[in-house]
Structure formats: C-alpha cells, structure tokens
Amino acid sequence: MLLLTWALFSVDVCLAGTPSPFGRKALAGRFSLGFHPSFVKNNNFLFFTHLGYGLNSSMSLTSHFSFQNTPFDAYAGLDLRAALLNHDRIKLDTYLGAHLGGLGNGYDAGAICNVDFFSSVGLVMAIDADILSGKNSANSPVHFIAGLDIPITRNMGFILNNAFALNRAAYRGFSGGLILFL
C-alpha cells in the first residue's frame, strides 16, 4: 500500500507514451485487448488502450492509442513483439515499433522478461526506449519497468507496473492494466 501511495502521488506526466501493458502477449490466432489507465500529479489522467493479435507462437502485433486530459498530444503506435526465449517459467521478448504523438513522433524498442512464480503470477522487467525524431530527438526517454503480471481467469489478467527513469528525458510512473484474451 505504501508503494502504491508513493507511486500515485510522485509520478511525472507521461510524455512519450508507453507500449502495451507489459506481460503476456496475444497467443497465435488470438486477440488481446488491454486497458491501461494512469493517474498522474496535477490531476492529469491518461488512458491507453491496446489491441494485439498473435501472428504465430512467437510473434504478435499490437496497436496502442492514448486519450488524455493533459496538454500533450494523443498517442498512436504499432509494434511487433517477438520471443527470444520461451522457457516454461521464463520468457524473454523484444519489440520494435513506431508511434505518432505524445512528446513527438518516433520509434519504440525494448525487451521484456517475464518470470512466473506461484501459479503463473509473474514478475515483469523491461527496458523501454522511445527514439524521437525531429526537433525532439534529444528528448528520447529510456525506462526500466518492473511489475507484476497477475492472472485473474484464463482469459483475463491484471498488470501493475512501475517505470523508473534511466535518463533525463524519461519519467517516473505507476500504472495498472487489465488485459483480456479473446
């Protein structure tokens, strides 16, 4: 509860956007639908939605959209996520993509590691980089994300993430996301 309180009242505004809620990707031939709200200081609210599709057993494609009441632009992006390691309890993925809006247009890249514990509850760790283009290229944020991936039912999961800034352009943040597998 202390971590949740600290995170909700100490986060900075999300400028560049974020990829899909870190956790499990859509399975082959199935869709995932994610909802990823964040409340940030100064009463700013950001709401991300994600729609993913499993292309095969090791790749998925995910689109992202944000709606927010902040002075920053809305966000739309698309990324391709691929499995590098798919062990029984340890999964390592990488993703590449592009986005429009947020702090500026650009590219996304990162790596996600899921380690399952206790009936599939997982620890999630990720490195996320937004490589901005044009006049904002010097403000490209890089984050380390840590969180929990909690299955609720076979077709629904909940993600809690805390983003840590790895450079000056990055932000600190806390979010929760609900993912439905259709």
Side-chain angles (χ1 to χ4, degrees):
M1 186 58 91
L2 181 62
L3 176 62
L4 178 61
T5 303
W6 166 81
L8 287 175
F9 294 104
S10 67
V11 295
D12 296 331
V13 175
C14 174
L15 299 176
T18 185
S20 55
F22 292 109
R24 301 177 204 297
K25 64 182 174 288
L27 298 174
R30 296 195 57 197
F31 288 94
S32 64
L33 179 62
F35 304 97
H36 191 208
S38 299
F39 292 95
V40 294
K41 69 182 184 180
N42 301 326
N43 295 319
N44 290 316
F45 174 75
L46 297 102
F47 187 80
F48 287 90
T49 59
H50 313 274
L51 179 61
Y53 180 73
L55 299 172
N56 58 40
S57 62
S58 62
M59 296 180 78
S60 66
L61 190 63
T62 306
S63 61
H64 319 283
F65 304 96
S66 77
F67 310 94
Q68 49 208 17
N69 70 347
T70 66
F72 306 104
D73 294 336
Y75 178 93
L78 183 69
D79 66 50
L80 181 65
R81 184 168 165 180
L84 298 176
L85 174 66
N86 196 6
H87 188 266
D88 185 37
R89 295 207 175 262
I90 300 172
K91 294 172 181 43
L92 178 62
D93 295 346
T94 187
Y95 64 90
L96 294 171
H99 68 268
L100 301 170
L103 182 61
N105 302 339
Y107 303 97
D108 304 307
I112 305 166
C113 181
N114 292 334
V115 181
D116 290 340
F117 299 103
F118 314 114
S119 300
S120 298
V121 170
L123 173 65
V124 180
M125 296 167 287
I127 296 290
D128 173 50
D130 293 331
I131 300 106
L132 302 180
S133 59
K135 65 181 180 179
N136 293 326
S137 61
N139 297 322
S140 296
V142 180
H143 301 93
F144 173 74
I145 291 99
L148 293 175
D149 181 358
I150 305 163
I152 297 172
T153 68
R154 181 177 178 182
N155 295 320
M156 184 184 330
F158 187 71
I159 305 292
L160 291 172
N161 290 320
N162 199 358
F164 301 93
L166 294 182
N167 65 0
R168 286 186 177 197
Y171 58 89
R172 293 182 330 248
F174 182 82
S175 61
L178 184 65
I179 302 177
L180 305 172
F181 296 99
L182 311 171

